[in-house]
Amino acid sequence: QVTLVESGGGSVQSGGTLRLSCAASGYTYSSFCMGWFRQAPGKEREGVVYITRVGTMRYVDSVKGRFTASRDDAKKTLYLQMNSLKPDDTAMYYCAADPGSRVCSLSTVVNSQYRGQGTQVTVSS
């Protein structure tokens, strides 16, 4: 049973920072394509970052230079450090993991087989 549990969301003012965590269990952690996606009310899911099995990361253009993903394999935990937050970053953020995809991409993350329950990030102006 694959389980992903996010934490760290909250409400901040524009320019603020938050750090999201995703604790994973139930599978060989580093063997999956993993990442974060977000969904704002009334909008489609948007891939934020993906992390390949070998640790390659790629971000959506809107967060480049502001968000940094990292992975602690020993703790089976994925992190998303979010700096210089903007109101447009307001969304529910989800951790995602996909075991079977041959290609790891933002689309893979959005359509991952497994995801957590989400954590809300709200940025006020």
Side-chain angles (χ1 to χ4, degrees), residues 12-14 87 123-125:
V12 296
Q13 291 189 327
S14 183
V123 185
S124 58
S125 57

Side-chain angles (χ1 to χ4, degrees), residues 1-7 20-25 27 32-39 45 78 92-98 108-120:
Q1 180 71 25
V2 176
T3 303
L4 302 170
V5 179
E6 302 98 334
S7 60
L20 307 184
S21 299
C22 171
S25 62
Y27 65 99
F32 283 26
C33 169
M34 298 190 67
W36 295 88
F37 69 89
R38 63 188 180 185
Q39 188 166 25
R45 293 179 183 181
L78 189 65
M92 186 73 81
Y93 283 71
Y94 298 87
C95 174
D98 194 281
T108 305
V109 170
V110 168
N111 297 290
S112 288
Q113 182 175 353
Y114 302 105
R115 64 178 173 92
Q117 82 288 351
T119 185
Q120 178 67 38

Side-chain angles (χ1 to χ4, degrees), residues 10 28-29 38 44 48 57 72 80 82 87 90 101 103:
T28 303
Y29 173 76
R38 63 188 180 185
E44 295 185 352
V48 176
M57 303 179 193
D72 187 329
L80 184 65
M82 305 187 294
T90 296
S101 59
V103 176

Side-chain angles (χ1 to χ4, degrees), residues 14-116:
S14 183
T17 65
L18 284 171
R19 188 191 194 204
L20 307 184
S21 299
C22 171
S25 62
Y27 65 99
T28 303
Y29 173 76
S30 60
S31 67
F32 283 26
C33 169
M34 298 190 67
W36 295 88
F37 69 89
R38 63 188 180 185
Q39 188 166 25
K43 294 187 177 181
E44 295 185 352
R45 293 179 183 181
E46 178 184 47
V48 176
V49 59
Y50 71 81
I51 305 171
T52 69
R53 294 165 181 79
V54 296
T56 302
M57 303 179 193
R58 181 158 291 179
Y59 300 85
V60 66
D61 287 347
S62 60
V63 308
K64 285 181 180 178
R66 301 188 298 121
F67 290 13
T68 304
S70 60
R71 193 175 78 185
D72 187 329
D73 292 349
K75 294 182 178 180
K76 294 189 176 182
T77 301
L78 189 65
Y79 302 99
L80 184 65
Q81 178 67 42
M82 305 187 294
N83 299 330
S84 302
L85 283 161
K86 304 175 181 179
D88 284 349
D89 295 319
T90 296
M92 186 73 81
Y93 283 71
Y94 298 87
C95 174
D98 194 281
S101 59
R102 293 187 175 183
V103 176
C104 190
S105 66
L106 291 176
S107 177
T108 305
V109 170
V110 168
N111 297 290
S112 288
Q113 182 175 353
Y114 302 105
R115 64 178 173 92

